[in-house]
Amino acid sequence: MASNTAPLAVELKPGALLRLRVLDEAGAPVPEARVVLEQWQGSNTLEWGGLTDAGGRLEWNSAPLEPITFVVVKDGYFISRRNTLTADGQEHTVTLHPQLTVTGRVTDAQTKQPIASFKAIPAPYRSQTSYGTNGLFELTFTEFNQFNQPLVVRIEAEGYESATSEPLDAGAIKRTCDFELKRQAPEEAIEGIVLLPDGSAAAGAQVALCSPHAVEMGKAGFRNSDDSTTTRADAEGHF
């Protein structure tokens, strides 16, 4: 079938030159740092990335003319996000900062004995939770500016009150934080009953602690939940 539609003409313009250099705090080049395009005219509209060379440099000779946002990742350093640059042919610098590693001991406040197992959480990044054993833990913060919140270590153990450190200095590289946990008193537990609209027990219903944690809803339950922030009602709807 014949078409009267005129041919579509597409005219390509020369790409702009983006010159990027990744350095550490001392001004030394960071080789093999991964640079990934994070945003351009909205999310997931364009893909590009690469590794810096021995001098910490990376070039892109077909970059858009508009401002582009990048993320830079390198083992041993905090992830650097929201680097908005313009491909103007000038060399732009991104400085990476060493990650913060925290170690410490966790003991029972009354007996002074090490707690066998617990969670060490680099708050607010619960996804990077470390699991301590025999009273010892080590965890690493890989980000410090995503939520614009202070970095703290949160310790959670079954049968104990949780504990949180003082805000940490992100530039310290290494820190030691020790904790003494108090046992939870049974009378201080949060409990209740979940009922359906007809008054019957909602057996197996999920219940989440929403503060100070965030809870994300999915189709059939909570997403990215763990046993320290969620529980299920029993056959009588009790939790």
Side-chain angles (χ1 to χ4, degrees), residues 5-222:
T5 303
L8 178 63
V10 178
E11 181 179 352
L12 299 181
K13 297 180 180 179
L17 175 61
L18 176 72
R19 302 176 63 235
L20 178 69
R21 194 176 193 198
V22 180
L23 304 175
D24 64 16
E25 290 182 335
V30 179
E32 297 186 351
R34 180 167 295 280
V35 181
V36 179
L37 191 150
E38 192 171 22
Q39 188 173 20
W40 171 72
Q41 295 187 351
S43 301
N44 303 319
T45 55
L46 184 64
E47 291 185 1
W48 178 81
L51 297 175
T52 57
D53 62 15
R57 293 184 171 88
L58 182 65
E59 293 188 358
W60 185 16
N61 63 4
S62 56
L65 297 173
E66 300 83 7
I68 318 164
T69 303
F70 296 90
V71 57
V72 183
V73 181
K74 173 70 175 180
D75 287 344
Y77 295 87
F78 282 114
I79 297 173
S80 179
R81 300 184 184 275
R82 303 186 184 95
N83 299 287
T84 301
L85 308 173
T86 301
D88 54 9
Q90 302 298 313
E91 185 172 86
H92 299 273
T93 300
V94 174
T95 300
L96 297 185
H97 305 277
Q99 292 174 346
L100 169 62
T101 298
V102 182
T103 59
R105 290 173 49 84
V106 179
T107 56
D108 184 298
Q110 183 175 2
T111 66
K112 309 303 180 183
Q113 295 301 307
I115 294 177
S117 63
F118 56 90
K119 293 180 180 180
I121 304 164
Y125 306 100
R126 291 189 69 90
S127 62
Q128 301 171 22
T129 294
S130 175
Y131 292 85
T133 57
N134 298 322
L136 300 176
F137 75 89
E138 177 176 322
L139 60 81
T140 299
F141 288 86
T142 61
E143 303 203 38
F144 71 94
N145 62 352
Q146 184 177 357
F147 299 112
N148 295 318
Q149 297 180 15
L151 301 182
V152 295
V153 176
R154 180 180 174 86
I155 302 296
E156 297 176 356
E158 185 70 26
Y160 290 87
E161 297 179 6
S162 61
T164 302
S165 72
E166 296 293 326
L168 303 173
D169 178 7
I173 303 178
K174 290 186 178 182
R175 278 290 305 272
T176 299
C177 291
D178 295 333
F179 297 85
E180 289 189 348
L181 301 189
K182 297 179 180 179
R183 287 192 175 274
Q184 290 178 329
E187 62 272 15
E188 295 178 355
I190 301 172
E191 60 178 331
I193 297 177
V194 185
L195 301 176
L196 297 174
D198 62 3
S200 60
Q206 283 186 294
V207 182
L209 179 66
C210 298
S211 179
H213 312 286
V215 179
E216 185 177 353
M217 293 294 296
K219 282 187 176 182
F222 301 122

